[in-house]
Amino acid sequence: MDVLLCCFCVLLLLASATSAASERCVRQGKAAYSPSLSPVPHHGSSGACGYGAMAAEINGGFLAAGGPRQHRGGLGCGRCFQMRCRDAKLCSSGGVRVVLTDFHRSNRTDFLLAGPAFAALAKPGMAQELNRLDALSVEYKRIPCEYKEKNLSIRVEEASDKTRGNLVVKLLYQGGQTDILAVDVAPVGSSAEWRFMTRVYGPVWSTPRAPAGPLQFRAVVTGGYDGKWVWADQEVLPADWRPGQVYDTGVRIADVARDGCRGCAATAAGAAMDDWK
Ligand SMILES: *[C@@H]1O[C@H](CO)[C@@H](O)[C@H](O)[C@H]1NC(C)=O
Ligand SMILES: *[C@@H]1O[C@H](CO)[C@@H](O)[C@H](O)[C@H]1NC(C)=O
């Protein structure tokens, strides 16, 4: 029953994900500087991503807050973007690579860039000039996330309670250019007992019916028209898992969306992408 239900969910999820296909196109937008991004998730709203202080470790502090269109109610959390501003006098041509870790509601910008990310848009010596501008015109595209030293990891959140079977996890270091649309958990050695988890917000998933450990995980990832299971076929959480601990899944997600960028390759922005390394 669970299996059938789950397959149905996956189909629904995939159907809803296809509408996001064009995100891999180069887009025009605005970026502005923010002295800091809020590390705290806003529970009960579509909220920020909840990476907390860990955000700074995720991408060397190159972080961005996205507006509704980038944050997408949390689905956009952990996505990676490359962006550059177009002013040849002030801006470097390579631009900057950022990870989306937060949400903002500002009307005048698509992205708020924190820490070193905004300065990195500038040519050497031009960061001060750039800081004076209100909201920069930028072009940006979604790119695969690359974590050279990290596998996909699972942080057990403080809201977890083993005696009640409550398990809340946060997914960290999600590589590639795909989204995680479903997460299941099962006891190691018993794949008949997969239980689905529900997205709480952004990268945080939970189940009130966690099996006793040790536990294995699998996830559906998709980017465009197809999805696939990624299965950490080994013990991920030990029987004595603890809130606050981070556990390595031993897998890496490196998939790049297959649907590519049809429809935008022919535009001027598509052409500009070729010289953008
Ligand atoms: C955003 O724009 C709307 C109307 O365009 C305006 O009413 C609202 O105050 C703006 N919000 C902010 C935070 O500037
Ligand atoms: C990633 O997982 C593999 C096993 O699949 C393991 O050998 C490797 O040490 C892990 N890498 C890191 C950085 O933990």
Side-chain angles (χ1 to χ4, degrees), residues 34-43 47-58 63-65 77 101-103 114 155 157 170 201 203-204:
S34 168
S36 68
L37 300 179
S38 99
V40 184
H42 314 301
H43 285 284
C49 300
Y51 294 113
M54 296 191 92
E57 291 169 32
I58 290 177
L63 310 176
C77 289
T101 58
D102 204 352
F103 176 62
R155 182 184 189 279
E157 297 289 275
K170 182 181 293 164
Y201 61 86
V204 178

Side-chain angles (χ1 to χ4, degrees), residues 149-151 234 248 250-252:
E149 309 288 318
K150 301 283 189 183
N151 294 329
Q234 62 175 32
D248 189 329
V251 300
R252 282 173 187 242

Side-chain angles (χ1 to χ4, degrees), residues 80-83 94 96-97 139-141 143 276-277:
C80 294
F81 295 89
Q82 186 172 10
M83 74 182 67
V96 65
R97 291 159 183 254
E139 57 182 15
Y140 65 92
K141 61 182 177 183
I143 56 169
W276 193 4
K277 295 295 184 283

Side-chain angles (χ1 to χ4, degrees), residues 105-108:
R105 286 188 182 79
S106 164
N107 276 354
R108 55 185 188 89

Side-chain angles (χ1 to χ4, degrees), residues 33 38 42 45 52 55 77 95 107 127 137 145 147 174-176 188-189 208 224 231 235 241 261 264-265:
Y33 174 71
S38 99
H42 314 301
S45 73
C77 289
N107 276 354
S137 291
C145 297
Y147 298 105
Q174 181 189 337
V188 170
W231 185 10
E235 171 180 319
W241 54 262
C261 204
C264 50

